[in-house]
Amino acid sequence: MQGDGTLTTGDRVINQEQANVVRRIFRDYSHGISPRAIAGRLNDEGIDGPRGSGWGASTIYGNWRRGTGILNNELYVGRLVWNRQRFIKDPTTGKRQARLNPQEEWIIEEVPDLRIVPDDLWASVKARQHATRSDMIRDGINRPERAHRTKHLFSGLLKCGNCGGGYTIVGKTHYGCANARNKGTCDNRLTIKREDLEDRVLSGLKDQLLHPDLIAEFVAAYQAEHNRLTAEASRETANTQRELVKVTRQIDKIVEAITEGMFHPSMKARMDVLEARKAELEAELANAKTEPPVLLHPGLVATLTPSGQRSTAHK
């Protein structure tokens, strides 16, 4: 109930203080400042992140395909997108996993009253993101969003004993606390050389993991996971092709409208975004590789099983 006696329906309103922070992030990024540097400055100034905690680079950059992260939130340009993705439960781990829906299934509502970022600034940010992803593709990375996936044996598996945050590669050769490095919210500055950590862990696991039953289970799990990833890659390629058709159709409509004498400055900004997206999709399809499956030798279990042991996996 509002002060005048009318009922409120829970409509969204702009928080001007937070809107200023969002516009600042967009301006800084468009001027060439990295997401990590932007996050560091915000943390140094004591500005709360979206959930009231510290800022991180991923909070700002997010995932362009899924629309996550400050720089990918279309609500800031007056578009509310529903049904962009769905969540499924992995029957093996029991964890929820996000899956992107085809773009034609998205529900988009124009909400111009909630716009806080102008079209030219949005287009500038999208252009820089596109240039960054194009560099990744030119360097031989098949999918741009995978550029930051794990590169070392225990990446993503280590935790800081002080704050509970991730322990990640800092520099070229050492692991260290990610919160201490990226957010400045942890005072644990201890690091450990990657080779030393891997040697310690592997030495402790070597004898236990070479049990024949575990090797047999690994072979079966590997083949199942390979089949799943192959099917997922095929679906992603099909989704990319469908989106390319839709984006091309949208570009054609704008060109047709301009040809017929209808023009508005916002049409140019929209065209820039669509052309950038089209280039991304075409680059992804052009660089998509059909890699031959990595098959495990049928005698792997016998080869790795210590002498004198027998597998009981199939008894």
Side-chain angles (χ1 to χ4, degrees):
M1 184 76 70
Q2 297 183 3
D4 59 2
T6 59
L7 291 174
T8 177
T9 58
D11 292 338
R12 300 169 187 249
V13 295
I14 296 175
N15 182 312
Q16 292 299 337
E17 182 178 355
Q18 295 177 357
N20 289 335
V21 175
V22 170
R23 284 189 287 265
R24 168 185 169 177
I25 291 172
F26 271 77
R27 286 194 299 268
D28 286 352
Y29 183 80
S30 69
H31 292 159
I33 302 176
S34 71
R36 178 178 295 171
I38 295 172
R41 294 179 183 181
L42 294 172
N43 289 328
D44 289 343
E45 296 174 23
I47 299 175
D48 288 338
R51 293 180 175 83
S53 57
W55 292 86
S58 61
T59 309
I60 294 171
Y61 199 81
N63 183 304
W64 64 274
R65 182 180 289 277
R66 293 179 178 172
T68 60
I70 297 295
L71 297 177
N72 302 306
N73 192 338
E74 294 188 56
L75 183 59
Y76 299 148
V77 287
R79 283 194 298 274
L80 190 57
V81 182
W82 303 89
N83 199 42
R84 186 191 295 267
Q85 61 185 9
R86 67 190 185 281
F87 291 89
I88 62 174
K89 186 175 182 180
D90 189 314
T92 303
T93 64
K95 296 181 178 180
R96 296 170 72 237
Q97 296 182 342
R99 291 290 182 269
L100 192 69
N101 289 327
Q103 190 173 4
E104 57 266 23
E105 296 181 8
W106 298 0
I107 302 173
I108 302 177
E109 179 184 356
E110 298 295 334
V111 284
D113 292 343
L114 297 180
R115 171 192 287 273
I116 60 174
V117 174
D119 278 330
D120 57 346
L121 182 55
W122 176 268
S124 175
V125 166
K126 295 297 109 178
R128 185 185 172 199
Q129 287 180 315
H130 168 60
T132 300
R133 289 193 293 270
S134 296
D135 288 342
M136 293 176 183
I137 292 175
R138 282 196 295 271
D139 289 339
I141 298 175
N142 189 29
R143 304 289 297 195
E145 66 270 29
R146 294 180 181 171
H148 299 292
R149 285 195 174 181
T150 55
K151 297 181 179 180
H152 303 291
L153 186 59
F154 295 117
S155 295
L157 301 177
L158 306 175
K159 298 293 182 182
C160 173
N162 188 37
C163 70
Y167 233 61
T168 61
I169 288 292
V170 293
K172 294 183 178 180
T173 61
H174 286 67
Y175 278 104
C177 176
N179 284 338
R181 183 192 185 202
N182 298 329
K183 299 182 179 181
T185 56
C186 178
D187 57 7
N188 179 12
R189 300 291 175 178
L190 296 177
T191 62
I192 181 172
K193 194 172 182 180
R194 178 175 62 84
E195 289 83 356
D196 293 343
L197 183 144
E198 292 176 355
D199 286 343
R200 293 183 190 181
V201 176
L202 292 177
S203 295
L205 295 177
K206 182 178 179 181
D207 293 337
Q208 299 180 43
L209 291 182
L210 285 181
H211 190 282
D213 290 349
L214 294 180
I215 296 174
E217 183 176 347
F218 161 74
V219 172
Y222 173 86
Q223 298 293 3
E225 178 67 4
H226 179 272
N227 292 339
R228 185 187 69 80
L229 292 176
T230 299
E232 182 177 310
S234 298
R235 288 193 297 270
E236 289 182 354
T237 298
N239 288 340
T240 300
Q241 292 171 335
R242 285 194 295 269
E243 185 179 353
L244 178 59
V245 171
K246 183 173 182 178
V247 169
T248 302
R249 189 181 300 121
Q250 291 174 335
I251 292 174
D252 292 341
K253 288 182 179 179
I254 294 178
V255 172
E256 182 179 353
I258 295 175
T259 302
E260 294 178 356
M262 294 182 290
F263 177 76
H264 189 275
S266 62
M267 296 173 70
K268 181 181 183 303
R270 181 60 177 162
M271 178 69 86
D272 290 341
V273 173
L274 289 172
E275 289 287 0
R277 181 66 181 136
K278 180 181 179 182
E280 292 171 0
L281 295 170
E282 290 175 338
E284 289 180 26
L285 292 174
N287 286 275
K289 299 177 181 178
T290 304
E291 299 180 355
V294 179
L295 301 178
L296 299 181
H297 193 280
L300 178 65
V301 176
T303 301
L304 296 181
T305 299
S307 60
Q309 293 186 358
R310 293 183 59 191
S311 173
T312 59
H314 301 291
K315 286 186 177 181

